[in-house]
mmCIF file of all heavy atoms in Angstrom:
data_model
loop_
_atom_site.group_PDB
_atom_site.id
_atom_site.type_symbol
_atom_site.label_atom_id
_atom_site.label_comp_id
_atom_site.label_asym_id
_atom_site.label_seq_id
_atom_site.Cartn_x
_atom_site.Cartn_y
_atom_site.Cartn_z
ATOM 1 N N ILE A 1 -2.972 -1.806 3.222
ATOM 2 C CA ILE A 1 -2.219 -2.520 2.203
ATOM 3 C C ILE A 1 -2.504 -1.930 0.835
ATOM 4 O O ILE A 1 -3.647 -1.857 0.388
ATOM 5 C CB ILE A 1 -2.538 -4.034 2.238
ATOM 6 C CG1 ILE A 1 -1.856 -4.774 1.087
ATOM 7 C CG2 ILE A 1 -4.018 -4.298 2.262
ATOM 8 C CD1 ILE A 1 -2.042 -6.270 1.149
ATOM 9 N N ARG A 2 -1.453 -1.512 0.160
ATOM 10 C CA ARG A 2 -1.566 -0.944 -1.179
ATOM 11 C C ARG A 2 -2.223 -1.934 -2.147
ATOM 12 O O ARG A 2 -3.029 -1.555 -3.002
ATOM 13 C CB ARG A 2 -0.166 -0.567 -1.674
ATOM 14 C CG ARG A 2 -0.066 -0.203 -3.141
ATOM 15 C CD ARG A 2 -0.694 1.134 -3.432
ATOM 16 N NE ARG A 2 -0.644 1.450 -4.849
ATOM 17 C CZ ARG A 2 -1.143 2.556 -5.391
ATOM 18 N NH1 ARG A 2 -1.720 3.434 -4.609
ATOM 19 N NH2 ARG A 2 -1.073 2.770 -6.663
ATOM 20 N N SER A 3 -1.889 -3.206 -2.009
ATOM 21 C CA SER A 3 -2.330 -4.209 -2.980
ATOM 22 C C SER A 3 -3.818 -4.524 -2.896
ATOM 23 O O SER A 3 -4.316 -5.327 -3.690
ATOM 24 C CB SER A 3 -1.513 -5.491 -2.807
ATOM 25 O OG SER A 3 -0.143 -5.235 -3.018
ATOM 26 N N SER A 4 -4.537 -3.910 -1.962
ATOM 27 C CA SER A 4 -5.991 -4.107 -1.932
ATOM 28 C C SER A 4 -6.629 -3.665 -3.237
ATOM 29 O O SER A 4 -7.678 -4.179 -3.638
ATOM 30 C CB SER A 4 -6.598 -3.334 -0.758
ATOM 31 O OG SER A 4 -6.348 -1.932 -0.893
ATOM 32 N N ILE A 5 -5.987 -2.728 -3.947
ATOM 33 C CA ILE A 5 -6.546 -2.222 -5.195
ATOM 34 C C ILE A 5 -6.611 -3.313 -6.261
ATOM 35 O O ILE A 5 -7.381 -3.225 -7.216
ATOM 36 C CB ILE A 5 -5.727 -1.008 -5.700
ATOM 37 C CG1 ILE A 5 -6.499 -0.234 -6.780
ATOM 38 C CG2 ILE A 5 -4.361 -1.446 -6.201
ATOM 39 C CD1 ILE A 5 -7.763 0.408 -6.293
ATOM 40 N N PHE A 6 -5.804 -4.393 -6.117
ATOM 41 C CA PHE A 6 -5.840 -5.486 -7.089
ATOM 42 C C PHE A 6 -7.219 -6.145 -7.156
ATOM 43 O O PHE A 6 -7.558 -6.786 -8.156
ATOM 44 C CB PHE A 6 -4.813 -6.559 -6.734
ATOM 45 C CG PHE A 6 -3.395 -6.157 -6.999
ATOM 46 C CD1 PHE A 6 -2.412 -6.392 -6.052
ATOM 47 C CD2 PHE A 6 -3.034 -5.542 -8.187
ATOM 48 C CE1 PHE A 6 -1.092 -6.027 -6.288
ATOM 49 C CE2 PHE A 6 -1.720 -5.164 -8.427
ATOM 50 C CZ PHE A 6 -0.749 -5.409 -7.481
ATOM 51 N N LEU A 7 -7.994 -6.020 -6.105
ATOM 52 C CA LEU A 7 -9.304 -6.662 -6.077
ATOM 53 C C LEU A 7 -10.349 -5.897 -6.891
ATOM 54 O O LEU A 7 -11.439 -6.419 -7.142
ATOM 55 C CB LEU A 7 -9.791 -6.806 -4.634
ATOM 56 C CG LEU A 7 -9.204 -7.993 -3.871
ATOM 57 C CD1 LEU A 7 -9.373 -7.810 -2.372
ATOM 58 C CD2 LEU A 7 -9.868 -9.290 -4.331
ATOM 59 N N LEU A 8 -10.031 -4.686 -7.306
ATOM 60 C CA LEU A 8 -11.021 -3.872 -8.011
ATOM 61 C C LEU A 8 -11.479 -4.549 -9.301
ATOM 62 O O LEU A 8 -12.683 -4.705 -9.549
ATOM 63 C CB LEU A 8 -10.449 -2.489 -8.298
ATOM 64 C CG LEU A 8 -11.374 -1.495 -9.010
ATOM 65 C CD1 LEU A 8 -12.692 -1.354 -8.270
ATOM 66 C CD2 LEU A 8 -10.685 -0.145 -9.143
ATOM 67 N N GLY A 9 -10.546 -4.965 -10.143
ATOM 68 C CA GLY A 9 -10.899 -5.622 -11.398
ATOM 69 C C GLY A 9 -11.665 -6.915 -11.199
ATOM 70 O O GLY A 9 -12.736 -7.120 -11.812
ATOM 71 N N PRO A 10 -11.160 -7.836 -10.345
ATOM 72 C CA PRO A 10 -11.900 -9.078 -10.110
ATOM 73 C C PRO A 10 -13.290 -8.879 -9.516
ATOM 74 O O PRO A 10 -14.232 -9.587 -9.884
ATOM 75 C CB PRO A 10 -10.977 -9.838 -9.145
ATOM 76 C CG PRO A 10 -9.606 -9.355 -9.478
ATOM 77 C CD PRO A 10 -9.793 -7.903 -9.795
ATOM 78 N N ILE A 11 -13.451 -7.929 -8.585
ATOM 79 C CA ILE A 11 -14.777 -7.684 -8.004
ATOM 80 C C ILE A 11 -15.734 -7.167 -9.078
ATOM 81 O O ILE A 11 -16.902 -7.578 -9.155
ATOM 82 C CB ILE A 11 -14.685 -6.694 -6.831
ATOM 83 C CG1 ILE A 11 -13.989 -7.346 -5.634
ATOM 84 C CG2 ILE A 11 -16.071 -6.218 -6.412
ATOM 85 C CD1 ILE A 11 -13.734 -6.399 -4.479
ATOM 86 N N LEU A 12 -15.250 -6.251 -9.931
ATOM 87 C CA LEU A 12 -16.089 -5.749 -11.015
ATOM 88 C C LEU A 12 -16.505 -6.875 -11.949
ATOM 89 O O LEU A 12 -17.653 -6.929 -12.414
ATOM 90 C CB LEU A 12 -15.323 -4.680 -11.797
ATOM 91 C CG LEU A 12 -15.378 -3.258 -11.245
ATOM 92 C CD1 LEU A 12 -14.364 -2.375 -11.949
ATOM 93 C CD2 LEU A 12 -16.781 -2.682 -11.403
ATOM 94 N N THR A 13 -15.585 -7.772 -12.237
ATOM 95 C CA THR A 13 -15.890 -8.893 -13.119
ATOM 96 C C THR A 13 -16.960 -9.792 -12.506
ATOM 97 O O THR A 13 -17.841 -10.295 -13.203
ATOM 98 C CB THR A 13 -14.615 -9.707 -13.395
ATOM 99 O OG1 THR A 13 -13.656 -8.869 -14.049
ATOM 100 C CG2 THR A 13 -14.897 -10.912 -14.266
ATOM 101 N N ARG A 14 -16.898 -9.960 -11.182
ATOM 102 C CA ARG A 14 -17.810 -10.882 -10.509
ATOM 103 C C ARG A 14 -19.183 -10.272 -10.254
ATOM 104 O O ARG A 14 -20.218 -10.934 -10.406
ATOM 105 C CB ARG A 14 -17.183 -11.334 -9.197
ATOM 106 C CG ARG A 14 -17.957 -12.458 -8.515
ATOM 107 C CD ARG A 14 -17.129 -13.102 -7.436
ATOM 108 N NE ARG A 14 -17.867 -14.183 -6.800
ATOM 109 C CZ ARG A 14 -17.388 -15.395 -6.579
ATOM 110 N NH1 ARG A 14 -16.173 -15.696 -6.993
ATOM 111 N NH2 ARG A 14 -18.114 -16.309 -5.977
ATOM 112 N N PHE A 15 -19.220 -8.997 -9.851
ATOM 113 C CA PHE A 15 -20.489 -8.382 -9.433
ATOM 114 C C PHE A 15 -20.960 -7.232 -10.341
ATOM 115 O O PHE A 15 -22.042 -6.708 -10.140
ATOM 116 C CB PHE A 15 -20.371 -7.849 -7.998
ATOM 117 C CG PHE A 15 -20.111 -8.911 -6.977
ATOM 118 C CD1 PHE A 15 -18.855 -9.056 -6.408
ATOM 119 C CD2 PHE A 15 -21.114 -9.777 -6.580
ATOM 120 C CE1 PHE A 15 -18.606 -10.039 -5.456
ATOM 121 C CE2 PHE A 15 -20.885 -10.756 -5.639
ATOM 122 C CZ PHE A 15 -19.628 -10.896 -5.074
ATOM 123 N N HIS A 16 -20.097 -6.828 -11.292
ATOM 124 C CA HIS A 16 -20.392 -5.700 -12.177
ATOM 125 C C HIS A 16 -20.533 -4.390 -11.411
ATOM 126 O O HIS A 16 -21.078 -3.415 -11.931
ATOM 127 C CB HIS A 16 -21.640 -5.969 -13.025
ATOM 128 C CG HIS A 16 -21.558 -7.229 -13.815
ATOM 129 N ND1 HIS A 16 -20.614 -7.445 -14.790
ATOM 130 C CD2 HIS A 16 -22.290 -8.379 -13.742
ATOM 131 C CE1 HIS A 16 -20.770 -8.650 -15.308
ATOM 132 N NE2 HIS A 16 -21.771 -9.250 -14.682
ATOM 133 N N LYS A 17 -20.061 -4.374 -10.182
ATOM 134 C CA LYS A 17 -19.994 -3.142 -9.402
ATOM 135 C C LYS A 17 -18.965 -3.334 -8.297
ATOM 136 O O LYS A 17 -18.672 -4.463 -7.889
ATOM 137 C CB LYS A 17 -21.346 -2.783 -8.808
ATOM 138 C CG LYS A 17 -21.976 -3.847 -7.926
ATOM 139 C CD LYS A 17 -23.364 -3.423 -7.459
ATOM 140 C CE LYS A 17 -24.058 -4.533 -6.667
ATOM 141 N NZ LYS A 17 -25.412 -4.131 -6.222
ATOM 142 N N ALA A 18 -18.406 -2.228 -7.825
ATOM 143 C CA ALA A 18 -17.412 -2.287 -6.754
ATOM 144 C C ALA A 18 -17.343 -0.941 -6.060
ATOM 145 O O ALA A 18 -17.504 0.112 -6.694
ATOM 146 C CB ALA A 18 -16.033 -2.669 -7.307
ATOM 147 N N THR A 19 -17.123 -0.984 -4.756
ATOM 148 C CA THR A 19 -16.922 0.228 -3.966
ATOM 149 C C THR A 19 -15.622 0.068 -3.199
ATOM 150 O O THR A 19 -15.452 -0.875 -2.432
ATOM 151 C CB THR A 19 -18.079 0.452 -2.979
ATOM 152 O OG1 THR A 19 -19.303 0.553 -3.713
ATOM 153 C CG2 THR A 19 -17.867 1.719 -2.166
ATOM 154 N N VAL A 20 -14.692 0.984 -3.434
ATOM 155 C CA VAL A 20 -13.372 0.874 -2.810
ATOM 156 C C VAL A 20 -12.948 2.234 -2.262
ATOM 157 O O VAL A 20 -13.422 3.278 -2.712
ATOM 158 C CB VAL A 20 -12.312 0.370 -3.808
ATOM 159 C CG1 VAL A 20 -12.665 -1.009 -4.343
ATOM 160 C CG2 VAL A 20 -12.129 1.343 -4.963
ATOM 161 N N THR A 21 -12.052 2.187 -1.275
ATOM 162 C CA THR A 21 -11.409 3.401 -0.781
ATOM 163 C C THR A 21 -9.996 3.442 -1.331
ATOM 164 O O THR A 21 -9.481 2.455 -1.852
ATOM 165 C CB THR A 21 -11.366 3.416 0.751
ATOM 166 O OG1 THR A 21 -10.686 2.237 1.209
ATOM 167 C CG2 THR A 21 -12.758 3.438 1.337
ATOM 168 N N PHE A 22 -9.353 4.592 -1.213
ATOM 169 C CA PHE A 22 -7.975 4.689 -1.670
ATOM 170 C C PHE A 22 -7.094 3.783 -0.811
ATOM 171 O O PHE A 22 -7.195 3.796 0.421
ATOM 172 C CB PHE A 22 -7.487 6.133 -1.606
ATOM 173 C CG PHE A 22 -8.084 6.999 -2.674
ATOM 174 C CD1 PHE A 22 -9.243 7.722 -2.444
ATOM 175 C CD2 PHE A 22 -7.502 7.054 -3.931
ATOM 176 C CE1 PHE A 22 -9.813 8.500 -3.430
ATOM 177 C CE2 PHE A 22 -8.057 7.835 -4.927
ATOM 178 C CZ PHE A 22 -9.217 8.564 -4.685
ATOM 179 N N PRO A 23 -6.228 2.989 -1.439
ATOM 180 C CA PRO A 23 -5.440 2.007 -0.685
ATOM 181 C C PRO A 23 -4.310 2.650 0.099
ATOM 182 O O PRO A 23 -3.927 3.798 -0.144
ATOM 183 C CB PRO A 23 -4.895 1.082 -1.777
ATOM 184 C CG PRO A 23 -4.800 1.963 -2.983
ATOM 185 C CD PRO A 23 -5.970 2.914 -2.879
ATOM 186 N N GLY A 24 -3.758 1.855 1.047
ATOM 187 C CA GLY A 24 -2.646 2.335 1.862
ATOM 188 C C GLY A 24 -1.332 1.730 1.421
ATOM 189 O O GLY A 24 -1.085 1.540 0.242
ATOM 190 N N GLY A 25 -0.475 1.388 2.417
ATOM 191 C CA GLY A 25 0.843 0.841 2.104
ATOM 192 C C GLY A 25 1.930 1.746 2.622
ATOM 193 O O GLY A 25 1.685 2.707 3.355
ATOM 194 N N CYS A 26 3.173 1.461 2.218
ATOM 195 C CA CYS A 26 4.307 2.265 2.664
ATOM 196 C C CYS A 26 4.225 3.686 2.112
ATOM 197 O O CYS A 26 3.790 3.906 0.978
ATOM 198 C CB CYS A 26 5.624 1.622 2.202
ATOM 199 S SG CYS A 26 6.065 0.130 3.112
ATOM 200 N N GLU A 27 4.675 4.649 2.904
ATOM 201 C CA GLU A 27 4.632 6.047 2.500
ATOM 202 C C GLU A 27 5.909 6.394 1.742
ATOM 203 O O GLU A 27 6.830 7.022 2.269
ATOM 204 C CB GLU A 27 4.453 6.941 3.721
ATOM 205 C CG GLU A 27 3.118 6.716 4.433
ATOM 206 C CD GLU A 27 2.942 7.592 5.651
ATOM 207 O OE1 GLU A 27 3.839 8.431 5.913
ATOM 208 O OE2 GLU A 27 1.932 7.452 6.344
ATOM 209 N N ILE A 28 5.970 5.982 0.475
ATOM 210 C CA ILE A 28 7.164 6.213 -0.340
ATOM 211 C C ILE A 28 6.860 7.117 -1.520
ATOM 212 O O ILE A 28 7.678 7.270 -2.414
ATOM 213 C CB ILE A 28 7.768 4.880 -0.832
ATOM 214 C CG1 ILE A 28 6.730 4.077 -1.602
ATOM 215 C CG2 ILE A 28 8.323 4.093 0.333
ATOM 216 C CD1 ILE A 28 7.275 2.804 -2.224
ATOM 217 N N GLY A 29 5.679 7.691 -1.559
ATOM 218 C CA GLY A 29 5.305 8.571 -2.654
ATOM 219 C C GLY A 29 3.800 8.577 -2.849
ATOM 220 O O GLY A 29 3.057 7.907 -2.145
ATOM 221 N N LEU A 30 3.350 9.340 -3.835
ATOM 222 C CA LEU A 30 1.920 9.515 -4.050
ATOM 223 C C LEU A 30 1.257 8.225 -4.540
ATOM 224 O O LEU A 30 0.184 7.862 -4.098
ATOM 225 C CB LEU A 30 1.687 10.643 -5.067
ATOM 226 C CG LEU A 30 2.121 12.038 -4.612
ATOM 227 C CD1 LEU A 30 1.935 13.045 -5.736
ATOM 228 C CD2 LEU A 30 1.312 12.463 -3.377
ATOM 229 N N ARG A 31 1.880 7.526 -5.480
ATOM 230 C CA ARG A 31 1.370 6.280 -6.034
ATOM 231 C C ARG A 31 -0.135 6.357 -6.315
ATOM 232 O O ARG A 31 -0.939 5.588 -5.790
ATOM 233 C CB ARG A 31 1.652 5.103 -5.096
ATOM 234 C CG ARG A 31 3.126 4.947 -4.803
ATOM 235 C CD ARG A 31 3.482 3.559 -4.395
ATOM 236 N NE ARG A 31 2.953 3.197 -3.098
ATOM 237 C CZ ARG A 31 3.223 2.046 -2.497
ATOM 238 N NH1 ARG A 31 4.010 1.166 -3.074
ATOM 239 N NH2 ARG A 31 2.714 1.762 -1.316
ATOM 240 N N PRO A 32 -0.556 7.307 -7.150
ATOM 241 C CA PRO A 32 -1.983 7.457 -7.420
ATOM 242 C C PRO A 32 -2.532 6.250 -8.169
ATOM 243 O O PRO A 32 -1.803 5.537 -8.861
ATOM 244 C CB PRO A 32 -2.043 8.715 -8.294
ATOM 245 C CG PRO A 32 -0.699 8.776 -8.961
ATOM 246 C CD PRO A 32 0.265 8.246 -7.941
ATOM 247 N N ILE A 33 -3.840 6.036 -8.046
ATOM 248 C CA ILE A 33 -4.463 4.894 -8.713
ATOM 249 C C ILE A 33 -5.180 5.332 -9.983
ATOM 250 O O ILE A 33 -5.997 4.585 -10.524
ATOM 251 C CB ILE A 33 -5.431 4.164 -7.769
ATOM 252 C CG1 ILE A 33 -6.601 5.075 -7.373
ATOM 253 C CG2 ILE A 33 -4.710 3.653 -6.539
ATOM 254 C CD1 ILE A 33 -7.718 4.324 -6.651
ATOM 255 N N ASP A 34 -4.862 6.530 -10.478
ATOM 256 C CA ASP A 34 -5.546 7.015 -11.666
ATOM 257 C C ASP A 34 -5.303 6.123 -12.872
ATOM 258 O O ASP A 34 -6.171 6.018 -13.752
ATOM 259 C CB ASP A 34 -5.133 8.463 -11.967
ATOM 260 C CG ASP A 34 -3.641 8.609 -12.184
ATOM 261 O OD1 ASP A 34 -2.872 8.040 -11.392
ATOM 262 O OD2 ASP A 34 -3.237 9.306 -13.137
#
């Protein structure tokens, strides 16, 4: 699921650290998270 990346900000706010992998989702383009 592409939208897993939405948790990055809230997790950082809660724990001051986060470890994530690049998200998935439909293959409609690069959709980088930069």
Side-chain angles (χ1 to χ4, degrees):
I1 175 175
R2 169 72 182 179
S3 300
S4 61
I5 195 65
F6 287 134
L7 279 162
L8 181 54
I11 290 174
L12 275 169
T13 299
R14 189 165 181 132
F15 297 105
H16 305 298
K17 57 184 175 181
T19 301
V20 299
T21 57
F22 287 92
C26 287
E27 296 179 3
I28 56 175
L30 295 176
R31 302 204 291 185
I33 64 169
D34 59 315

